[in-house]
Structures are given as structure tokens and as C-alpha cells.
Amino acid sequence: MQPESNECQHIMDSGRRCQTPPVKGKPFCYYHGRLHATFVLPGHPAYEPPILENRHSVQIALNHIYLAQSKNLIDRKTATSMAYTLQLVMQNLSKGLNTPDIRSVSEITPAMQTALHLDEKLENTTVRDADEDTPRSTDVAPRCRPLRMGVNNAEPYVPNSERALQRSDELHTKKFSRSTMPEFVPELDPEEWLRITADLPPKGEPGSALQQANCRRVLQILNYDQTRRRMYGAKCGTPGFCPQA
């Protein structure tokens, strides 16, 4: 059965239809259109967060955070910080600062088109004009390696030969063993360490995409290990060593 043209075509997981009038020329109402729209994900500079003015905008922002974290574009610390901000917003809204929903609009005004970066066909120009490597909500696979506790990288991978060369040179200034896992990274799997150190870019060369991924991972681990050594050394009075808990 074809859905009524004067109702939003969104069907909730409960099986009930949204009965709000749709935006003119679109299948969804304004809220569900925003929820289903293709957008650049959090964790990228081009991401445009919604204005947090009511419970619906908070729900959209939570959906953005959920998608970004599920695709490994932001780490748990960043996601927690963003979620805490939304919690503060909800506390303010519960105190009567929410704008009441008097009626749902069926047309988007020109001013809102500009504010939302929409063209005359109501398509998101931020997404349309973004670089092909920019992470989007419609991505079906992560744009970077899975996150691990303690050695997360919130920055999405963007190919950059100059930065790759800098990482390769930085890696060769570090002293580490390819066969022995750093002792102050308890969350790290020994097999993971052996795998990523088996193929690293040569000094003075950016290396392949896989070698650069391994290079970034090793640098993250070594920096984390160095930080933990300083923390435990200062705490225990033994420079560079403290028994792990």
C-alpha cells in the first residue's frame, strides 16, 4: 500500500507511521528529513552540528555521535564529552527553556536553506562539495582502524604525502623493539604489535597506505607508553618503571 502523500513516510521501529506533514516535495517531515539526511560525520572539520534548541535537535546530535563512534571516527573520550554537553542541554530544556512545537512546517524558508547549507533542491551542499575522502553518514565501512582503549586516534584518516613523510621520519627517531611489546600498554594485544611492526615505511619515504597505517599506530602506542612511564615513574619514585596494577 502506498503511503499517504500528506503524511511523513517514516516508519518507527514500533511499526507506527509518523503522521506529521512532509516537507513540500520530500518524503519525510522536517525532523525525519534531518535524521535521514546524508551528512558529514563528527570527527571531521566539515561537520556541521545541529543547533541545540529542543529535544529533537538533541536527538539528531546523539544520532550523529552514535554513527561517528560506530564508524571509528571519534574516540570514546570525545563521544563522552559531546554526550555530556547534550546532557547539560537537556537539563536546560527541562527548566522551561525549550521552544514549544506549535505546528510542523511543510516548506523550508530561504533563510533556513542558507543556514542548513541547502541548494534549491534542498540537497546538502556541505556533503555535495566535500572531498571524496570526507567521512559521511552513508559510509558502509570505517574510514580508519578500529579503536582500542588508551591508544585511540580521533582524527579520521586523510591521505597526505607530506604528513606521511613526517610520520616516517618521526618513527625512526624512536627507540623500540619490533618483537617486544611496550610494557605500559596493557590494552594492547601482543599479536597486534607484531603485525603492525612487521611492515613499516622506510626512513625518508612515505610508504604505502598500509605502511602508513602501521606507522600511525606504532607512534600512537609509543606516545601512550611514554606517557604512562612518566606517570608511574613520578608516582612510584622509580624513573621509568612501576609494577602494573
Side-chain angles (χ1 to χ4, degrees):
M1 183 178 66
Q2 293 294 329
E4 297 291 337
S5 59
N6 61 346
E7 289 185 359
C8 172
Q9 296 183 23
H10 176 82
I11 300 177
M12 292 173 278
D13 285 346
S14 63
R16 300 185 62 182
R17 276 275 303 277
C18 172
Q19 298 179 338
T20 307
V23 173
K24 186 176 181 180
K26 296 291 179 179
F28 301 114
C29 65
Y30 182 78
Y31 168 69
H32 285 121
R34 292 274 284 160
L35 201 64
H36 294 307
T38 299
F39 50 86
V40 175
L41 286 165
H44 191 277
Y47 170 65
E48 294 284 347
I51 299 174
L52 304 177
E53 57 186 359
N54 55 28
R55 297 176 185 273
H56 290 88
S57 57
V58 171
Q59 185 64 38
I60 291 174
L62 283 171
N63 185 56
H64 292 179
I65 296 171
Y66 163 72
L67 285 175
Q69 193 173 23
S70 68
K71 296 174 186 294
N72 297 329
L73 291 169
I74 58 175
D75 59 11
R76 183 166 56 182
K77 181 179 179 180
T78 303
T80 302
S81 177
M82 296 174 73
Y84 177 71
T85 300
L86 296 179
Q87 183 180 0
L88 294 178
V89 173
M90 288 300 296
Q91 291 177 2
N92 281 338
L93 295 179
S94 65
K95 296 177 182 178
L97 298 181
N98 191 11
T99 303
D101 294 326
I102 301 176
R103 61 188 178 89
S104 297
V105 300
S106 59
E107 293 190 33
I108 299 180
T109 61
M112 281 303 296
Q113 284 186 229
T114 302
L116 298 174
H117 306 285
L118 304 178
D119 60 17
E120 62 280 357
K121 296 182 179 179
L122 304 184
E123 301 296 332
N124 192 332
T125 58
T126 302
V127 176
R128 184 190 65 196
D129 300 335
D131 187 87
E132 61 179 8
D133 291 314
T134 302
R136 292 167 169 78
S137 59
T138 51
D139 286 345
V140 295
R143 295 266 179 145
C144 58
R145 300 189 60 79
L147 301 176
R148 286 182 181 272
M149 184 186 302
V151 286
N152 294 335
N153 179 17
E155 297 181 2
Y157 171 59
V158 178
N160 186 318
S161 57
E162 182 179 349
R163 183 72 184 102
L165 189 59
Q166 292 176 355
R167 287 196 192 96
S168 298
D169 291 340
E170 180 183 356
L171 178 66
H172 285 82
T173 63
K174 305 284 186 180
K175 294 182 179 179
F176 66 95
S177 171
R178 293 174 183 253
S179 59
T180 305
M181 186 185 75
E183 61 179 309
F184 281 82
V185 190
E187 301 87 355
L188 183 63
D189 183 356
E191 293 184 0
E192 171 79 355
W193 176 254
L194 295 175
R195 184 187 64 78
I196 62 177
T197 57
D199 187 18
L200 295 173
K203 183 177 181 180
E205 297 181 18
S208 64
L210 178 59
Q211 287 177 325
Q212 265 304 304
N214 293 338
C215 179
R216 293 196 309 275
R217 182 86 170 116
V218 169
L219 287 174
Q220 292 168 23
I221 293 171
L222 293 179
N223 290 337
Y224 180 66
D225 177 68
Q226 183 180 10
T227 301
R228 289 285 289 268
R229 285 176 180 273
R230 285 201 302 265
M231 290 172 57
Y232 282 118
K235 181 178 180 180
C236 301
T238 306
F241 177 76
C242 176
Q244 298 186 24

